[in-house]
Amino acid sequence: MSHSSPLVSLTWTDHVTGRRGHLVIDRLVRGVCSGGLRMRPGCSLAEVAGLARGMTAKEALHYDPEGRYVPLGGAKGGIDCDPRDPEAYGVLVRYLRAMRPYIEHMWTTGEDLGLRQDVIDRAAAEAGLVSTVQAVYPLLDDEATARRRLADAFAADVDGIGLGELVGGCGVAESVLTALERAGTPHEGTRVSVQGLGTMGGATARFLSRAGLRIVAVADVRGTIAHPGGLDVEALLAARDSFGTVDRSALRPGDLELPGDAWLSADAEVLVPAAVSYAVDAANQEAIRARWIAEAANMPVVPEAEELLRARGVTVLPDVVLNPPLAEGRGFLAQAASGSSAPGGLTPSAPAGLRPARTSITRAEFLSRGDTAPHAVQV
């Protein structure tokens, strides 16, 4: 499938460490675009370009003419660096300083793989930026009120986790629940395996667990933690570090420590890849025993693997549907700035079971609408 060229595609080289960063602006809408900033070893321009195209599709797909939030264009940033590297923070500051003209005028960004919003905000301040979403301010009626709403949104807390960190996982969880209901499968006892216990994976695990599903495996950089009877999700969330790695001293007797790829072959009905792109390929998909794969991460299943999975009856719920812009931090903040309530009524005072609007379609259904495939990047 062919794609038109992005509006902006650039690679930056850090003069201190030699590490590289990328920015791709796929489209502008009203002169502004939206897309997160990730940091991981090996992050490439091709990867960032594919993610930027996906953001364009997400923004367009979830447009609601009656909503306060008006979609933006799609973009993405990426830095080829291990976020645990002692030099990573300095690289981030210098990257943001180099990208400052884009962030000030057209690119709203926020946390993605390897980076937390509080780290980005601190680095952005050092880089001389007012905010990583400041490009949207001129589109708002009252900037001062918008910034106050942003502060209120960041300050909100739901059972020990910031509201901004929960929005994305709530959307993924609701899509999984919708898929189960469409298939006539009860929530109670349905088993789930999650790769990644960061912002997206952690929130998804929390909401699915509270809906009655059993989280039987979670994977982080140290390996897979599993228990056939179900893990204590809240205890694992409380034992995470800033990169989503679980302190193994918090494990219960009976919790198993397995190899890092064990989450993929877990005896579960639902897999949630919520960490890296390209996690499921044509080779390792053979190990999957789940019926559904819910893409919480960006582009975690490569197209070749998806075709093979579909042929053997595994449904992939696409990231372009499961984690739309309003489910991501940037969209949540832009919505808060516009004066809308938190997405789906997910507020600090809302009961745990309060649900946002349900949506869950397969990629085949998505493509049948004539939309652009979000996974066209070749790897």
Side-chain angles (χ1 to χ4, degrees):
M1 180 176 294
S2 62
H3 294 271
S4 57
S5 299
L7 296 179
V8 174
S9 178
L10 63 85
T11 295
W12 160 87
T13 301
D14 180 28
H15 69 281
V16 176
T17 65
R19 291 184 173 87
R20 292 188 171 187
H22 313 283
L23 170 63
V24 175
I25 296 176
D26 187 65
R27 292 291 178 272
L28 294 176
V29 175
R30 299 182 299 160
V32 183
C33 58
S34 173
L37 173 61
R38 60 176 40 196
M39 178 183 284
R40 74 168 190 88
C43 184
S44 68
L45 181 62
E47 173 184 338
V48 174
L51 295 168
R53 286 196 298 271
M55 282 304 300
T56 293
K58 289 180 186 183
E59 291 276 355
L61 176 65
H62 293 274
Y63 173 54
D64 180 1
E66 298 181 359
R68 293 287 299 273
Y69 176 74
V70 179
L72 308 174
K76 208 73 174 185
I79 302 173
D80 181 2
C81 181
D82 188 334
R84 295 172 179 78
D85 191 302
E87 296 181 315
Y89 183 75
V91 173
L92 174 61
V93 172
R94 291 187 290 274
Y95 172 89
L96 291 173
R97 189 174 293 131
M99 302 301 148
R100 179 173 170 177
Y102 296 98
I103 298 172
E104 288 180 331
H105 300 292
M106 64 183 70
W107 177 33
T108 68
T109 191
E111 71 173 57
D112 200 293
L113 177 67
L115 292 171
R116 291 175 57 89
Q117 189 62 46
D118 59 336
V119 175
I120 292 177
D121 288 342
R122 179 158 50 93
E126 289 190 36
L129 290 159
V130 173
S131 166
T132 60
V133 297
Q134 68 185 78
V136 81
Y137 289 165
L139 304 181
L140 305 174
D141 295 333
D142 186 339
E143 178 180 333
T145 300
R147 294 178 66 176
R148 185 172 64 252
R149 288 183 179 128
L150 288 176
D152 291 343
F154 270 123
D157 181 278
V158 182
D159 296 339
I161 300 178
L163 183 59
E165 294 186 36
L166 291 173
V167 176
C170 183
V172 173
E174 290 302 325
S175 294
V176 170
L177 298 180
T178 301
L180 294 178
E181 290 168 5
R182 287 180 59 174
T185 301
H187 300 170
E188 197 70 33
T190 292
R191 297 164 298 178
V192 182
S193 176
V194 182
Q195 181 207 30
L197 209 62
T199 298
M200 290 295 288
T204 301
R206 166 183 273 192
F207 285 114
L208 289 179
S209 177
R210 291 186 175 187
L213 284 72
R214 193 191 320 160
I215 312 301
V216 296
V218 298
D220 60 17
V221 296
R222 293 185 56 188
T224 299
I225 302 168
H227 194 297
L231 295 164
D232 185 339
V233 172
E234 293 299 325
L236 296 180
L237 294 177
R240 296 178 298 176
D241 65 14
S242 60
F243 298 104
T245 304
V246 176
D247 181 352
R248 268 42 179 184
S249 67
L251 301 187
R252 306 167 303 174
D255 288 345
L256 305 174
E257 294 190 60
L258 304 175
D261 60 356
W263 70 277
L264 197 68
S265 58
D267 195 6
E269 287 72 43
V270 180
L271 290 188
V272 182
V276 298
S277 301
Y278 321 134
V280 180
D281 57 31
N284 67 16
Q285 60 82 26
E286 295 179 352
I288 293 174
R289 292 186 281 177
R291 182 177 174 185
W292 293 276
I293 299 177
E295 294 187 320
N298 291 306
M299 304 190 304
V301 181
V302 304
E304 296 84 356
E306 186 171 346
E307 290 299 322
L308 294 169
L309 288 163
R310 183 184 298 117
R312 58 190 186 90
V314 180
T315 298
V316 177
L317 304 176
D319 61 338
V320 72
V321 175
L322 268 63
N323 57 3
L326 283 183
E328 297 185 354
R330 294 159 306 287
F332 166 65
L333 296 176
Q335 186 186 44
S338 70
S340 303
S341 61
L346 180 63
T347 62
S349 59
L354 187 59
R355 295 177 173 177
R358 292 290 190 86
T359 181
S360 185
I361 64 174
T362 65
R363 197 178 320 279
E365 292 171 321
F366 173 68
L367 294 177
S368 71
R369 299 179 176 186
D371 296 297
T372 301
H375 282 194
V377 63
Q378 298 299 310
V379 296

